[in-house]
Amino acid sequence: MSVSTAACAQSVCAPLPVLGRDVTVPLVTGGEVTYAALDYAASAPALQRVWDDVAAYAPYYGSVHRGAGYLSQLSTDLFENARRTVAEFLGCRSDDQLVFTRSTTDSLNLLARALPAGCQVFVFETEHHAGLLPWQDAEVTYLDAPRTPQQAVATLERALADRTASVQEGRGPALVCVTGASNVTGELWPVRELAAAAHAHGARIVLDAAQLAPHHPVSVRDLDVDWVAFSGHKLYAPFGAGVLAGRGDWLREAEPYLAGGGASRKVTRRADGGVDVEWHDSAARHEAGSPNVIGAYSIASACKALTEAGFDTLVAREEQLITKVREGLAEVPQIKILSLFGDDAPRVGVLSFVVEGWNSSHFAAALSAEYGIGVRDGLFCAHPLVRTLLGSDPRTQGECGAPEAAPGEKSLNAIRVSFGAGTPDEHVDRFVAAVKELVREGAKWQYRTEDGRCVPAV
């Protein structure tokens, strides 16, 4: 179903049509309304272009790499062409490897498995858990939350300088893991400056681009990072695939992430009854099993769509939406927008906030049930960061999205609104209006806790 010209005349249409833009949902107060999907930071809806490309290919689906049949050869070409398309989208260097994974989390866990012995990892406490947690088998230095981009660079430089000063002969290498854009505040991090600081001290750097790649161009070469990781489902390609791209030496030298067919070049029996394995040294080394061809192809399709739309145009329009949301929320004194770097910090279309007098889960539930607006509440798989922003001990454990605190404790959760190239202006306008009305008039319905969630009472 296409968006009508009349509808576009009433509100500015999104530059890239997505699935679900015409879906209606019921309201507890009666009637139905077109659903406003404003949770892009969790999973963006599929681009119509991606869906159409996948549907066109689906009848030709076949096994890849080892099939002799026509469909297998076609699928192999499509899979490897997708690899080249994504590598071009990421500005990869000629000797970089690009491995298809399941997600950003999977990509960073793969890299963690490939770390050389004795590698020391530096990571800010502000990272998403995907960047914070995979390094458990390494020596990890957790860096405190910076309050300016300049402080982030200075903090990293000090930590790396201390390591250099105390380094012992034979000590292993170092790796820095940093996000490109926060999944909580949307704020852009100084990736190029952090990469320069890392390299000045002989360390490597991996960029978590899960929130950056859907909104801004990401170039391995221009940012001078060693690796970049992102997820297809945040890039309008929700088919269970992700990417790790960058330097190949650690990946070639590491044991395969998964052992199995596709990763092995040659397997032979030994006289003692065991087996000898010769592993591939290409990306196939870490892509054992039948690959997610649909996922890889959908990422490539999304990359093409974003490139053709032009990031300059997409960024300019998104900044208008960000301004509209920020100015609208600023008109409500009871609202506090969460920020590390301050109100003027550049950001992508991700904002988190709290409302005085409201539990965030209650507020988010009311937005959904009474207005048909989907946002997210909780700690956003970035517990230390959100707890820091909310004034709590960042080491305190908490359950993501828990609507109520333990007796006597402060309830710690926030509301996150996020949007992108598929968001029409009307959805943002509805969100701002709904927030103001909820704060002013309160919820029209009663809510209760069920299985850890705040839901409308029946």
mmCIF file of all heavy atoms in Angstrom, residues 165-200:
data_model
loop_
_atom_site.group_PDB
_atom_site.id
_atom_site.type_symbol
_atom_site.label_atom_id
_atom_site.label_comp_id
_atom_site.label_asym_id
_atom_site.label_seq_id
_atom_site.Cartn_x
_atom_site.Cartn_y
_atom_site.Cartn_z
ATOM 1 N N ALA A 165 53.397 3.736 30.404
ATOM 2 C CA ALA A 165 54.425 3.992 31.404
ATOM 3 C C ALA A 165 54.738 2.757 32.228
ATOM 4 O O ALA A 165 55.866 2.586 32.710
ATOM 5 C CB ALA A 165 53.981 5.131 32.315
ATOM 6 N N SER A 166 53.726 1.898 32.412
ATOM 7 C CA SER A 166 53.926 0.732 33.260
ATOM 8 C C SER A 166 54.104 -0.559 32.479
ATOM 9 O O SER A 166 54.170 -1.638 33.065
ATOM 10 C CB SER A 166 52.730 0.581 34.205
ATOM 11 O OG SER A 166 51.535 0.357 33.466
ATOM 12 N N VAL A 167 54.152 -0.462 31.155
ATOM 13 C CA VAL A 167 54.199 -1.665 30.342
ATOM 14 C C VAL A 167 55.479 -2.453 30.602
ATOM 15 O O VAL A 167 56.566 -1.887 30.773
ATOM 16 C CB VAL A 167 54.088 -1.313 28.841
ATOM 17 C CG1 VAL A 167 55.340 -0.603 28.326
ATOM 18 C CG2 VAL A 167 53.821 -2.574 28.017
ATOM 19 N N GLN A 168 55.308 -3.749 30.689
ATOM 20 C CA GLN A 168 56.437 -4.643 30.901
ATOM 21 C C GLN A 168 56.788 -5.336 29.594
ATOM 22 O O GLN A 168 55.951 -5.519 28.710
ATOM 23 C CB GLN A 168 56.074 -5.694 31.958
ATOM 24 C CG GLN A 168 55.665 -5.095 33.303
ATOM 25 C CD GLN A 168 56.805 -4.374 33.976
ATOM 26 O OE1 GLN A 168 57.950 -4.832 33.940
ATOM 27 N NE2 GLN A 168 56.501 -3.232 34.593
ATOM 28 N N GLU A 169 58.027 -5.745 29.473
ATOM 29 C CA GLU A 169 58.458 -6.430 28.247
ATOM 30 C C GLU A 169 57.610 -7.683 28.048
ATOM 31 O O GLU A 169 57.397 -8.464 28.980
ATOM 32 C CB GLU A 169 59.929 -6.812 28.361
ATOM 33 C CG GLU A 169 60.485 -7.431 27.080
ATOM 34 C CD GLU A 169 61.982 -7.716 27.178
ATOM 35 O OE1 GLU A 169 62.594 -7.299 28.182
ATOM 36 O OE2 GLU A 169 62.501 -8.369 26.269
ATOM 37 N N GLY A 170 57.132 -7.851 26.854
ATOM 38 C CA GLY A 170 56.331 -9.015 26.526
ATOM 39 C C GLY A 170 54.847 -8.843 26.786
ATOM 40 O O GLY A 170 54.072 -9.765 26.563
ATOM 41 N N ARG A 171 54.429 -7.679 27.268
ATOM 42 C CA ARG A 171 53.005 -7.461 27.510
ATOM 43 C C ARG A 171 52.252 -7.399 26.189
ATOM 44 O O ARG A 171 52.785 -6.965 25.166
ATOM 45 C CB ARG A 171 52.802 -6.168 28.308
ATOM 46 C CG ARG A 171 51.372 -5.980 28.800
ATOM 47 C CD ARG A 171 51.283 -4.862 29.806
ATOM 48 N NE ARG A 171 49.924 -4.753 30.333
ATOM 49 C CZ ARG A 171 49.555 -3.885 31.259
ATOM 50 N NH1 ARG A 171 50.446 -3.039 31.753
ATOM 51 N NH2 ARG A 171 48.315 -3.851 31.694
ATOM 52 N N GLY A 172 50.981 -7.810 26.210
ATOM 53 C CA GLY A 172 50.207 -7.896 24.986
ATOM 54 C C GLY A 172 49.726 -6.548 24.478
ATOM 55 O O GLY A 172 49.986 -5.499 25.075
ATOM 56 N N PRO A 173 48.976 -6.571 23.375
ATOM 57 C CA PRO A 173 48.472 -5.339 22.756
ATOM 58 C C PRO A 173 47.289 -4.768 23.523
ATOM 59 O O PRO A 173 46.865 -5.300 24.556
ATOM 60 C CB PRO A 173 48.055 -5.804 21.366
ATOM 61 C CG PRO A 173 47.703 -7.238 21.553
ATOM 62 C CD PRO A 173 48.633 -7.764 22.602
ATOM 63 N N ALA A 174 46.738 -3.666 23.009
ATOM 64 C CA ALA A 174 45.601 -3.001 23.646
ATOM 65 C C ALA A 174 44.519 -2.717 22.617
ATOM 66 O O ALA A 174 44.806 -2.490 21.436
ATOM 67 C CB ALA A 174 46.042 -1.704 24.317
ATOM 68 N N LEU A 175 43.286 -2.716 23.101
ATOM 69 C CA LEU A 175 42.132 -2.432 22.254
ATOM 70 C C LEU A 175 41.210 -1.466 22.985
ATOM 71 O O LEU A 175 40.945 -1.624 24.184
ATOM 72 C CB LEU A 175 41.360 -3.716 21.936
ATOM 73 C CG LEU A 175 40.052 -3.544 21.151
ATOM 74 C CD1 LEU A 175 40.341 -3.139 19.709
ATOM 75 C CD2 LEU A 175 39.210 -4.821 21.192
ATOM 76 N N VAL A 176 40.694 -0.477 22.261
ATOM 77 C CA VAL A 176 39.704 0.458 22.778
ATOM 78 C C VAL A 176 38.379 0.164 22.093
ATOM 79 O O VAL A 176 38.326 -0.016 20.870
ATOM 80 C CB VAL A 176 40.120 1.916 22.500
ATOM 81 C CG1 VAL A 176 39.036 2.884 22.973
ATOM 82 C CG2 VAL A 176 41.453 2.228 23.158
ATOM 83 N N CYS A 177 37.300 0.080 22.876
ATOM 84 C CA CYS A 177 35.958 -0.100 22.318
ATOM 85 C C CYS A 177 35.142 1.134 22.634
ATOM 86 O O CYS A 177 35.048 1.548 23.798
ATOM 87 C CB CYS A 177 35.289 -1.340 22.906
ATOM 88 S SG CYS A 177 33.597 -1.616 22.312
ATOM 89 N N VAL A 178 34.542 1.741 21.619
ATOM 90 C CA VAL A 178 33.778 2.975 21.835
ATOM 91 C C VAL A 178 32.587 3.025 20.886
ATOM 92 O O VAL A 178 32.637 2.519 19.762
ATOM 93 C CB VAL A 178 34.673 4.218 21.635
ATOM 94 C CG1 VAL A 178 35.095 4.345 20.180
ATOM 95 C CG2 VAL A 178 33.980 5.487 22.105
ATOM 96 N N THR A 179 31.505 3.632 21.370
ATOM 97 C CA THR A 179 30.322 3.806 20.535
ATOM 98 C C THR A 179 30.476 5.039 19.649
ATOM 99 O O THR A 179 31.213 5.969 19.992
ATOM 100 C CB THR A 179 29.064 3.955 21.410
ATOM 101 O OG1 THR A 179 27.911 3.945 20.580
ATOM 102 C CG2 THR A 179 29.090 5.260 22.201
ATOM 103 N N GLY A 180 29.755 5.041 18.541
ATOM 104 C CA GLY A 180 29.746 6.224 17.687
ATOM 105 C C GLY A 180 28.650 7.194 18.076
ATOM 106 O O GLY A 180 28.799 8.408 17.948
ATOM 107 N N ALA A 181 27.531 6.656 18.547
ATOM 108 C CA ALA A 181 26.402 7.460 19.028
ATOM 109 C C ALA A 181 25.733 6.681 20.137
ATOM 110 O O ALA A 181 25.462 5.484 19.992
ATOM 111 C CB ALA A 181 25.410 7.748 17.903
ATOM 112 N N SER A 182 25.460 7.339 21.240
ATOM 113 C CA SER A 182 24.890 6.664 22.400
ATOM 114 C C SER A 182 23.481 6.175 22.123
ATOM 115 O O SER A 182 22.660 6.908 21.563
ATOM 116 C CB SER A 182 24.880 7.610 23.601
ATOM 117 O OG SER A 182 24.135 7.062 24.675
ATOM 118 N N ASN A 183 23.184 4.951 22.539
ATOM 119 C CA ASN A 183 21.824 4.440 22.385
ATOM 120 C C ASN A 183 20.878 5.007 23.443
ATOM 121 O O ASN A 183 19.677 4.779 23.380
ATOM 122 C CB ASN A 183 21.820 2.912 22.448
ATOM 123 C CG ASN A 183 21.919 2.378 23.867
ATOM 124 O OD1 ASN A 183 22.875 2.697 24.584
ATOM 125 N ND2 ASN A 183 20.969 1.570 24.284
ATOM 126 N N VAL A 184 21.421 5.755 24.402
ATOM 127 C CA VAL A 184 20.601 6.365 25.447
ATOM 128 C C VAL A 184 20.351 7.839 25.161
ATOM 129 O O VAL A 184 19.207 8.301 25.154
ATOM 130 C CB VAL A 184 21.266 6.199 26.830
ATOM 131 C CG1 VAL A 184 20.446 6.925 27.911
ATOM 132 C CG2 VAL A 184 21.419 4.729 27.174
ATOM 133 N N THR A 185 21.411 8.589 24.917
ATOM 134 C CA THR A 185 21.275 10.037 24.713
ATOM 135 C C THR A 185 21.293 10.441 23.249
ATOM 136 O O THR A 185 20.923 11.573 22.911
ATOM 137 C CB THR A 185 22.414 10.781 25.421
ATOM 138 O OG1 THR A 185 23.657 10.478 24.766
ATOM 139 C CG2 THR A 185 22.506 10.372 26.889
ATOM 140 N N GLY A 186 21.749 9.548 22.369
ATOM 141 C CA GLY A 186 21.872 9.889 20.958
ATOM 142 C C GLY A 186 23.085 10.735 20.644
ATOM 143 O O GLY A 186 23.348 11.037 19.473
ATOM 144 N N GLU A 187 23.853 11.114 21.660
ATOM 145 C CA GLU A 187 24.978 12.027 21.453
ATOM 146 C C GLU A 187 26.104 11.373 20.650
ATOM 147 O O GLU A 187 26.423 10.194 20.837
ATOM 148 C CB GLU A 187 25.512 12.497 22.809
ATOM 149 C CG GLU A 187 24.522 13.394 23.536
ATOM 150 C CD GLU A 187 24.860 13.583 25.002
ATOM 151 O OE1 GLU A 187 25.227 12.591 25.661
ATOM 152 O OE2 GLU A 187 24.761 14.723 25.483
ATOM 153 N N LEU A 188 26.687 12.161 19.759
ATOM 154 C CA LEU A 188 27.796 11.699 18.941
ATOM 155 C C LEU A 188 29.091 11.741 19.740
ATOM 156 O O LEU A 188 29.363 12.710 20.449
ATOM 157 C CB LEU A 188 27.939 12.563 17.690
ATOM 158 C CG LEU A 188 26.740 12.553 16.730
ATOM 159 C CD1 LEU A 188 26.966 13.545 15.595
ATOM 160 C CD2 LEU A 188 26.499 11.157 16.177
ATOM 161 N N TRP A 189 29.869 10.685 19.615
ATOM 162 C CA TRP A 189 31.153 10.605 20.304
ATOM 163 C C TRP A 189 32.281 11.008 19.356
ATOM 164 O O TRP A 189 32.164 10.842 18.135
ATOM 165 C CB TRP A 189 31.371 9.197 20.845
ATOM 166 C CG TRP A 189 30.678 8.996 22.152
ATOM 167 C CD1 TRP A 189 29.332 9.082 22.386
ATOM 168 C CD2 TRP A 189 31.293 8.719 23.409
ATOM 169 N NE1 TRP A 189 29.072 8.868 23.719
ATOM 170 C CE2 TRP A 189 30.251 8.642 24.377
ATOM 171 C CE3 TRP A 189 32.602 8.517 23.814
ATOM 172 C CZ2 TRP A 189 30.506 8.376 25.717
ATOM 173 C CZ3 TRP A 189 32.851 8.244 25.153
ATOM 174 C CH2 TRP A 189 31.811 8.186 26.089
ATOM 175 N N PRO A 190 33.386 11.534 19.902
ATOM 176 C CA PRO A 190 34.499 12.001 19.058
ATOM 177 C C PRO A 190 35.356 10.839 18.568
ATOM 178 O O PRO A 190 36.499 10.644 19.007
ATOM 179 C CB PRO A 190 35.280 12.915 20.015
ATOM 180 C CG PRO A 190 35.057 12.303 21.368
ATOM 181 C CD PRO A 190 33.633 11.795 21.338
ATOM 182 N N VAL A 191 34.815 10.062 17.653
ATOM 183 C CA VAL A 191 35.452 8.810 17.240
ATOM 184 C C VAL A 191 36.820 9.047 16.623
ATOM 185 O O VAL A 191 37.799 8.359 16.957
ATOM 186 C CB VAL A 191 34.544 8.055 16.247
ATOM 187 C CG1 VAL A 191 35.238 6.791 15.745
ATOM 188 C CG2 VAL A 191 33.207 7.722 16.900
ATOM 189 N N ARG A 192 36.906 10.009 15.718
ATOM 190 C CA ARG A 192 38.193 10.255 15.045
ATOM 191 C C ARG A 192 39.275 10.643 16.050
ATOM 192 O O ARG A 192 40.416 10.173 15.964
ATOM 193 C CB ARG A 192 38.015 11.347 13.987
ATOM 194 C CG ARG A 192 39.234 11.542 13.097
ATOM 195 C CD ARG A 192 38.970 12.555 11.993
ATOM 196 N NE ARG A 192 38.118 12.041 10.937
ATOM 197 C CZ ARG A 192 36.823 12.323 10.799
ATOM 198 N NH1 ARG A 192 36.226 13.123 11.671
ATOM 199 N NH2 ARG A 192 36.119 11.825 9.810
ATOM 200 N N GLU A 193 38.935 11.483 17.031
ATOM 201 C CA GLU A 193 39.906 11.911 18.035
ATOM 202 C C GLU A 193 40.287 10.761 18.961
ATOM 203 O O GLU A 193 41.451 10.628 19.368
ATOM 204 C CB GLU A 193 39.345 13.076 18.845
ATOM 205 C CG GLU A 193 39.190 14.370 18.051
ATOM 206 C CD GLU A 193 37.923 14.394 17.200
ATOM 207 O OE1 GLU A 193 37.153 13.399 17.238
ATOM 208 O OE2 GLU A 193 37.688 15.401 16.506
ATOM 209 N N LEU A 194 39.327 9.922 19.300
ATOM 210 C CA LEU A 194 39.609 8.761 20.141
ATOM 211 C C LEU A 194 40.489 7.758 19.403
ATOM 212 O O LEU A 194 41.387 7.142 19.996
ATOM 213 C CB LEU A 194 38.309 8.097 20.593
ATOM 214 C CG LEU A 194 37.469 8.903 21.586
ATOM 215 C CD1 LEU A 194 36.072 8.317 21.710
ATOM 216 C CD2 LEU A 194 38.152 8.947 22.952
ATOM 217 N N ALA A 195 40.250 7.608 18.094
ATOM 218 C CA ALA A 195 41.093 6.715 17.295
ATOM 219 C C ALA A 195 42.521 7.225 17.244
ATOM 220 O O ALA A 195 43.480 6.451 17.354
ATOM 221 C CB ALA A 195 40.519 6.581 15.887
ATOM 222 N N ALA A 196 42.672 8.536 17.082
ATOM 223 C CA ALA A 196 44.016 9.121 17.049
ATOM 224 C C ALA A 196 44.731 8.898 18.380
ATOM 225 O O ALA A 196 45.929 8.570 18.417
ATOM 226 C CB ALA A 196 43.936 10.613 16.734
ATOM 227 N N ALA A 197 44.005 9.063 19.501
ATOM 228 C CA ALA A 197 44.603 8.843 20.817
ATOM 229 C C ALA A 197 45.008 7.382 20.989
ATOM 230 O O ALA A 197 46.094 7.078 21.511
ATOM 231 C CB ALA A 197 43.612 9.250 21.912
ATOM 232 N N ALA A 198 44.152 6.468 20.552
ATOM 233 C CA ALA A 198 44.472 5.048 20.659
ATOM 234 C C ALA A 198 45.720 4.706 19.861
ATOM 235 O O ALA A 198 46.656 4.062 20.368
ATOM 236 C CB ALA A 198 43.283 4.212 20.180
ATOM 237 N N HIS A 199 45.769 5.149 18.619
ATOM 238 C CA HIS A 199 46.900 4.807 17.764
ATOM 239 C C HIS A 199 48.195 5.463 18.231
ATOM 240 O O HIS A 199 49.286 4.895 18.071
ATOM 241 C CB HIS A 199 46.592 5.192 16.317
ATOM 242 C CG HIS A 199 45.481 4.391 15.722
ATOM 243 N ND1 HIS A 199 44.677 4.858 14.699
ATOM 244 C CD2 HIS A 199 45.021 3.150 16.017
ATOM 245 C CE1 HIS A 199 43.780 3.931 14.387
ATOM 246 N NE2 HIS A 199 43.975 2.890 15.177
ATOM 247 N N ALA A 200 48.088 6.649 18.837
ATOM 248 C CA ALA A 200 49.291 7.325 19.344
ATOM 249 C C ALA A 200 49.951 6.521 20.448
ATOM 250 O O ALA A 200 51.165 6.647 20.682
ATOM 251 C CB ALA A 200 48.930 8.717 19.857
#
